[in-house]
Amino acid sequence: MSAPEVRVLVVEDDPVAAAAHALYVGRVPGFTAVAAVHSLAEAARVLERAPVDLLLLDLTLPDGHGLRFARGLRAAGHPVDVIAVTSARDLAVVRESVSLGVVQYVLKPFAFPTLRERLLRYAEFRASAGEAAGQDDVDRALAALRAPAPAELPKGLSAATLDRVAALLRSAPEGLTAAGAAGAAGISRITARRYLEHLVDTGRADRTPRYGQVGRPELHYRWLAAAAGSVSNV
């Protein structure tokens, strides 16, 4: 008999990001998004009337902080688990999240593969049941929640430069060419193109040719809207 689907409530104030996150959830086997809401008040109403196993919870919402909401749920004995979604990089907030039993912490912006990996690890942890035979069983259950070490970048790419190019692309709604990114980042056009192509290959950007008056088309790179609304590998 297969395990029942994990019911996820998406809580995110940006409607575009909320829709993207709900779509991501629905693409992961074993998970279903029961709703996507844009405030803590809406989240509380859904939790009152519908069974929810997991909150995909933004921490900065118009009517309060997500961690205070999570603390209230714990105080009330609500069993729902929480994956925190935020652009905040304050490690004090991360520590507080852990103390409240937040099972994962995902930084915005993120692409679908990042969330999929976190959800599948949560499902593995959730499937752990019964009595542990020893320390190894306990360690294995807890290890399921730990994200793997970041994947190595292709040879010749650095994380710092990738962060810089990604930030430039995110801040350019109309997109950038390799030459434009190179000028803004202070690197060569060939180097900029390698970083832009890596962002395309990892699902965080797309590229389209634009034709001028003469000659070959010029490639324009654009940060994906779905990735911009979510936690990140960048």
Side-chain angles (χ1 to χ4, degrees), residues 123-187:
E124 184 180 345
F125 171 75
R126 184 180 169 87
S128 303
E131 186 172 340
Q135 184 67 47
D136 287 348
D137 287 346
V138 174
D139 291 343
R140 274 192 293 272
L142 293 175
L145 287 175
R146 299 188 193 119
E152 290 188 10
L153 290 173
K155 187 176 180 180
L157 301 190
S158 77
T161 304
L162 180 61
D163 285 347
R164 190 157 72 251
V165 172
L168 287 169
L169 199 58
R170 285 199 299 269
S171 64
E174 298 303 316
L176 287 172
T177 63
I187 55 180

Side-chain angles (χ1 to χ4, degrees), residues 11 13 19 21-22 28-29 35 42 59 74 80 100 160 176 187 189 207 211 214 223:
V11 188
D13 65 329
H21 296 178
V28 180
E42 290 178 280
L59 295 188
R74 291 289 173 263
V80 68
L100 291 172
L176 287 172
I187 55 180
R189 181 179 177 279
R207 61 176 176 266
Y211 294 85
V214 294
W223 189 260

